[in-house]
């Protein structure tokens, strides 16, 4: 390890400010009825993070139940294709198969600390719903998951998983019947039942303190990866990459590196059919500043501020907003956000399957595809092979049907 | 004093409450919503609250969501709302606008305030804008002499309630229940307490909304509040009707019943 590399991750930024703003983003655009609950949550979060017994309990759960720290794996055969040394942060190996378990365990602990007995959650593909139902079972909490009716049909297996774990799944039939409408319905439930209920939000979005709180619970990804990279290579990586929907996995891995100016941060948004077609979910690249779901951030919207439906092959990235800290990291230039199309993501999906024997979540395949795109430029800039840490945020078991249809291998089997 | 303030003063002198009736702009169509709101005024609604339809209305229950969806599917724009405000204000009734924040932010806060004032609107009710985030609106509403109605809730602390009320002008909106809009069989027991908490810190009139759907409920709320705000029950008249004419007829009947209710406060 070279002497000028700090051995520990810096407490990178003082953001957000006391009222939850990341620059001009974030804040609280909520009904007054929720302010008391958000204040209570903020206070619980603040005291919990300062409480060594809370941190110890959270740490033990992450280790003994979730299976972290996750591995940092040198993907040699994928690296050869990428022209970079690619280190995969294997969040796909966590219990429930994604980084999300970190967030739900942290928030379940907070729920108990606040003396609440019921959690509600929104879910798109069902991954956050399954993770929430898992934590609710473990902590003996009542659990209600709101899921767009369209998504309950697309993801019937995850609906069954949530029910097996004891959760009630409520199909949402309003609006576009997808993730954003599930989020609206969860907010409505929360307004009505806020005394006994915690809204266990699934990403680093929403009103203050959610973006900071979720980031704090998932930041272990980056803290671990930073140390693992130093141990493995003797230096920090040249770049860290992740996919960005709401953005929790990306913030989770970025946060530890924000204070390392030589480490480039890349967030890859879901470009769908291509940002130029209008059918995408790239809120930063293809959206504009606005207010959605309690925070000011980048939003896919029309000229009147009506939210526009997003499109992506990845249900987990199919959201018309993004966490406000990403909006701020974009504006300050600290992180770079680029779109990756469905086709590019699926090509990278296939490449990882064939070179490494790892089936990634389609969300994570966006990070892999983006890495393939930026690696040559990095190599040219540095004049050597770059080292890139990629957040492999989830496993692809849930996507086998989608991928099977995409590659036409289900049909082949039927026709055989 | 604003036109809404005058309406509240007059009602107070008459020993009754003001009836505020809410309707989404462009529901069922732009012209249809003007006809509906005009009918409400003719049947005794004192103040019209025009809601700007929004794609993600988190404070609204199923009735207003459905009406907003219909309005948006019909292509209503924010500028149509201003035209509706102008047409309804021509009846002589004060017209206040209720809106989620993003449509205003996209229109331009000062531009919207300027155009709303020009259309004859009295001000804004802002369900998802709290004074903490409202600097731009505070400045624009001052510049264009518009009223500001922020919401207070049973869960508001005393400090927040005082701070929120301090930023209000025209009237204060007290949300009677912890929940979204929509008529309920029983009005809230939390509302009288909330209204008296507001009265302890201001002389501004207090309107109570969320859950009122009948003349009897209006009379109950009129017993302790200065204004009775009704939305979903009125909107349902149009949603449930087989055609527009019978919908407007039902709307007149309910408006008259509610107007009678606010004239018979149960004290």
């Amino acid at each position: 390890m070279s002497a000028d590399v700090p051995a520990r991750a810096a407490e990178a930024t003082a953001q957000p400010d006391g009222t939850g703003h990341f620059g001009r983003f974030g804040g609280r655009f909520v009904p007054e009825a929720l302010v008391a609950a958000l204040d209570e949550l903020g206070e619980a979060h603040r005291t919990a993070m300062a409480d060594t017994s809370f941190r110890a309990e959270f740490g033990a759960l992450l280790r003994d139940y979730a299976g972290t720290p996750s591995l940092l794996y040198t993907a040699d055969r994928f690296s050869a294709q990428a022209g970079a040394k690619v280190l995969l942060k294997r969040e796909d190996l966590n219990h429930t198969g994604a980084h999300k378990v970190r967030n739900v365990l942290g928030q379940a602990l907070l729920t108990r600390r606040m003396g609440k007995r019921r959690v509600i959650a929104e879910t798109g593909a069902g991954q956050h719903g399954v993770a929430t139902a898992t934590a609710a079972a473990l902590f003996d909490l009542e659990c209600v998951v709101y899921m767009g009716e369209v998504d309950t049909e697309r993801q019937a297996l995850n609906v069954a998983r949530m029910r097996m774990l004891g959760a009630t799944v409520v199909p949402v039939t309003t609006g576009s019947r997808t993730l954003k409408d599930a989020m609206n319905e969860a907010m409505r439930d929360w307004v009505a039942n806020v005394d006994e209920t915690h809204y266990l939000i699934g990403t680093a979005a929403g009103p203050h303190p959610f973006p900071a709180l979720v980031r704090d619970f998932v930041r272990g990804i980056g803290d671990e990866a930073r140390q693992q990279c130093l141990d493995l290579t003797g230096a920090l990586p040249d770049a860290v990459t992740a996919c960005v929907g709401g953005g929790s996995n990306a913030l989770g891995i970025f946060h530890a590196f924000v204070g390392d100016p030589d480490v480039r941060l890349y967030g890859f948004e879901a470009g769908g059919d291509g940002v130029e077609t209008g059918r995408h979910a790239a809120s930063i690249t293809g959206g504009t500043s606005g207010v959605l779901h309690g925070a000011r951030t980048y939003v896919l919207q029309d000229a009147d501020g009506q939210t526009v439906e997003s499109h992506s092959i990845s249900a987990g990235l199919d959201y018309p907003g993004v966490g406000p800290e990403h909006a701020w990291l974009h504006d300050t230039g600290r992180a770079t956000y680029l779109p990756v199309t469905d086709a590019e993501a699926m090509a990278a999906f296939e490449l990882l399957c064939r070179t490494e024997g790892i089936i990634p979540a389609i969300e994570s395949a966006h990070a892999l595809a983006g890495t393939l795109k930026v690696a040559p430029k990095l190599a040219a800039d540095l004049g050597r092979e770059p080292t890139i840490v990629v957040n492999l945020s989830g496993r692809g078991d849930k996507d086998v049907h989608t991928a099977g249809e995409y590659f036409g291998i289900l049909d082949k089997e039927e026709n055989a | 004093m604003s036109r809404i303030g005058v309406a509240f003063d007059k009602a107070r002198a008459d020993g009754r409450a003001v009836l505020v009736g809410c309707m989404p702009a462009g529901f069922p169509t732009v012209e249809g919503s003007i006809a509906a709101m005009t009918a409400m005024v003719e049947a005794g609604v004192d103040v019209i609250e025009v809601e700007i339809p929004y794609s993600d209305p988190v404070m609204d229950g199923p009735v207003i969501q459905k009406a907003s969806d219909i309005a948006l599917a019909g292509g209503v724009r924010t500028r149509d709302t201003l035209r509706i405000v102008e047409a309804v204000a021509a009846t002589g009734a004060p017209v206040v606008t209720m809106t989620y924040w993003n449509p205003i932010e996209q229109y331009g806060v000062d531009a919207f305030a300027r155009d709303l004032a020009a259309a004859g609107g009295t001000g804004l009710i802002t369900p998802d804008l709290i004074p903490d985030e409202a600097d731009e609106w505070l400045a624009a509403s001052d510049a264009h002499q518009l009223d500001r109605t922020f919401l207070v809730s049973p869960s508001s602390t005393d400090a927040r309630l005082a701070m929120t009320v301090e930023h209000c002008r025209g009237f204060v909106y007290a949300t009677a229940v912890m929940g979204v809009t929509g008529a309920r069989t029983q009005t809230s027991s939390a509302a009288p307490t909330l209204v008296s908490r507001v009265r302890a810190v201001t002389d501004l009139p207090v309107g109570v909304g969320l859950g009122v759907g009948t003349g009897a409920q209006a009379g109950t709320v009129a017993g302790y509040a200065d204004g009775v705000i009704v939305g979903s029950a009125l909107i349902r008249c149009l949603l449930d009707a087989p055609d527009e004419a019978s919908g407007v007829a039902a709307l007149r009947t309910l408006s008259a019943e509610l107007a009678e209710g606010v004239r018979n406060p149960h004290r």
Side-chain angles (χ1 to χ4, degrees), chain B residues 1 24 44 48 50 82 88 156 190 195 200 206 245 259:
Chain B
M1 179 180 290
I48 298 294
V50 180
L82 293 163
V88 179
S156 304
V195 170
V206 188

Side-chain angles (χ1 to χ4, degrees), chain B residues 87-221:
Chain B
V88 179
T91 66
V95 181
V96 60
T97 301
M98 190 281 214
T99 182
Y100 292 88
W101 194 242
N102 199 44
I104 304 306
E105 188 152 303
Q106 301 312 314
Y107 192 99
V109 178
D110 189 72
F112 188 84
R114 176 196 68 211
D115 293 352
L116 181 64
T122 60
L124 289 184
I125 301 169
T126 51
D128 67 347
L129 184 74
I130 54 178
D132 319 52
E133 299 284 353
D135 286 354
E136 214 178 339
W137 166 233
L138 297 179
S141 52
D142 283 346
H144 300 283
Q145 297 179 305
L146 291 169
D147 289 340
R148 298 188 287 256
T149 295
F150 295 104
L151 276 56
V152 294
S153 150
S155 66
S156 304
T157 60
D158 287 343
R160 279 204 64 82
L161 190 135
M163 182 279 287
T164 303
V165 166
E166 176 146 333
H167 288 91
C168 288
R169 189 160 56 209
F171 72 104
V172 180
Y173 192 128
T175 51
V177 292
M178 292 299 287
V180 296
T181 56
R184 289 166 172 81
T185 49
Q186 287 193 310
T187 49
S188 153
S189 57
T193 310
L194 178 59
V195 170
S196 58
R197 290 176 63 206
V198 176
R199 291 205 195 291
V201 294
T202 186
D203 293 330
L204 283 177
V206 188
V208 168
L210 302 194
V212 178
T214 67
Q217 288 174 333
T220 302
V221 174

